[in-house]
Amino acid sequence: MKVAIFGAGTMGSGIAQVFSANGHTALLYATSVESAQRHKDKLAASLSKRVAKGKMTQEAADDLMSRILVEEVAAAADADLVIECVAENMAVKKELLQRLDTLCKEETVFATNTSSLSITEMAKGLMHPMVGMHFFNPVPAMKLVEVISGANTPTELVEWTKNLCVGIGKTPVVVNEAPGFVVNKILIPYCNEGVCVLQEGVASAEDIDIAMQLGCNHPMGPLHLGDLIGWDVVLNIMDVLYNETHDPKYRANVLIRKMVRAGKLGIKTGEGFFTYNK
Ligand code: 3HC
């Protein structure tokens, strides 16, 4: 299958890696061919580290990279599947999807990796039906894909997407469209609550994370997890949950807003509630 992935950041690159590892061809797109190539090079470097650690053979890494292609947008015209992973902004997503709607063949399936936005709204006016395929970070390591059904997503498309997820080694769950779907509706307020506990002086950042790791067997605490996800992403999802529901339980903690304004986004900027080597 030929899969065109628009957005080559952490999620897009990870999704390309997973499709390619399972024998599919992945076209990787960013704002320019040069930028997509830079993301592809970054992915190759991360696979080299896995080879060096003995977690992957050089042949498997070369084989995987040979199916990740950087081409002009026109090459997506005959893609079997398009997955959009661009910025979490409805206008940006709609503009891209409308362009692809006229470019892609009729049979191309349109999917979105949105973490919280409405698929029904995104698909409005498109000829291609849409489905949600919500992957988790780090994509190669996380087994789940939320398969999201919007108000106009055909039932057969949901079934097709479920089977596709199984074929790439993931476990799908079917979710009806709702702000945040299942995981982010629960997980993002959890990260927000971790920041509330810190701000109220209940415990230090280190101890909050140790408490949740050792008290609940979570692989990482809420503050490290927010650092992994990116506090800009956390804030954006909290704002979507709040704006869609007006429920005060989804009010983002002001400290998160301040961290985002300061560029302290987490692992990707080298500093969040903890510091990292970039
Ligand atoms: N590529 C391939 N494999 C990877 C990988 C990558 N980029 N990153 C991790 N892995 C694999 C490792 O190779 C290892 O598997 P292996 O032993 O078979 O090779 C396995 O994952 C575990 O990795 P590590 O041993 O390096 O590290 P840890 O055991 O500390 O696990 C973690 C790291 C998987 C990130 C773990 O800490 C974890 O599960 N954290 C929680 C992550 C989480 O909750 N993610 C969801 C975020 S929310 C989201 O994404 C939704 C969005 O919309 C906001």
Side-chain angles (χ1 to χ4, degrees):
M1 183 183 288
K2 187 172 173 182
V3 186
I5 297 154
F6 284 82
T10 311
M11 298 306 285
S13 295
I15 292 169
Q17 178 179 340
V18 166
F19 272 97
S20 174
N22 286 280
H24 300 289
T25 299
L27 302 180
L28 193 60
Y29 292 102
T31 43
S32 65
V33 166
E34 293 72 27
S35 164
Q37 187 57 49
R38 275 196 299 277
H39 285 288
K40 184 179 168 183
D41 293 345
K42 217 166 136 187
L43 181 56
S46 89
L47 292 188
S48 295
K49 282 191 196 150
R50 286 178 63 73
V51 171
K53 283 186 192 161
K55 290 192 166 189
M56 189 179 207
T57 64
Q58 186 62 54
E59 293 70 38
D62 292 344
D63 181 54
L64 195 157
M65 289 311 298
S66 73
R67 278 189 301 277
I68 299 183
L69 310 178
V70 170
E71 293 189 18
E72 296 293 336
V73 175
D78 67 344
D80 302 293
L81 172 66
V82 159
I83 305 180
E84 79 72 25
C85 316
V86 297
E88 278 295 279
N89 175 303
M90 185 60 84
V92 172
K93 288 184 188 294
K94 277 190 157 188
E95 195 271 329
L96 170 71
L97 291 165
Q98 275 154 13
R99 258 191 307 137
L100 294 175
D101 200 38
T102 49
L103 174 76
C104 293
K105 63 181 180 183
E106 200 184 327
E107 299 77 19
T108 306
V109 166
F110 278 18
T112 170
N113 180 53
T114 181
S115 50
S116 60
L117 296 174
S118 165
I119 290 150
T120 309
E121 176 65 33
M122 227 178 274
K124 216 187 260 178
L126 299 182
M127 290 177 291
H128 293 82
M130 282 201 73
V131 65
M133 283 183 89
H134 186 211
F135 289 83
F136 294 84
N137 182 14
V139 180
M142 304 300 283
K143 293 290 281 180
L144 183 71
V145 179
E146 286 180 315
V147 174
I148 299 135
S149 180
N152 296 316
T153 306
T155 314
E156 317 80 69
L157 181 53
V158 172
E159 278 309 303
W160 181 88
T161 310
K162 269 172 66 184
N163 291 333
L164 177 65
C165 291
V166 173
I168 57 169
K170 301 293 185 197
T171 302
V173 291
V174 176
V175 177
N176 288 320
E177 179 179 311
F181 315 125
V182 170
V183 173
N184 283 343
K185 188 171 164 59
I186 298 170
L187 186 72
I188 299 301
Y190 161 75
C191 292
N192 188 61
E193 196 58 36
V195 178
C196 295
V197 171
L198 178 71
Q199 203 195 28
E200 287 160 18
V202 179
S204 67
E206 288 78 8
D207 284 349
I208 291 168
D209 272 19
I210 290 171
M212 294 311 295
Q213 276 181 281
L214 303 187
C216 302
N217 258 1
H218 289 188
M220 46 177 61
L223 301 177
H224 187 189
L225 183 58
D227 279 1
L228 171 77
I229 295 168
W231 290 102
D232 52 337
V233 176
V234 172
L235 179 61
N236 189 278
I237 298 171
M238 283 304 290
D239 285 346
V240 169
L241 292 172
Y242 183 81
N243 291 334
E244 289 277 325
T245 61
H246 291 283
D247 188 330
K249 75 180 175 187
Y250 296 124
R251 189 174 57 85
N253 186 288
V254 288
L255 182 54
I256 301 181
R257 218 173 281 285
K258 191 167 155 189
M259 299 275 290
V260 171
R261 286 178 178 144
K264 296 179 181 178
L265 307 182
I267 296 175
K268 62 188 167 189
T269 58
E271 188 180 353
F273 286 97
F274 303 101
T275 50
Y276 306 87
N277 294 324
K278 264 199 261 181

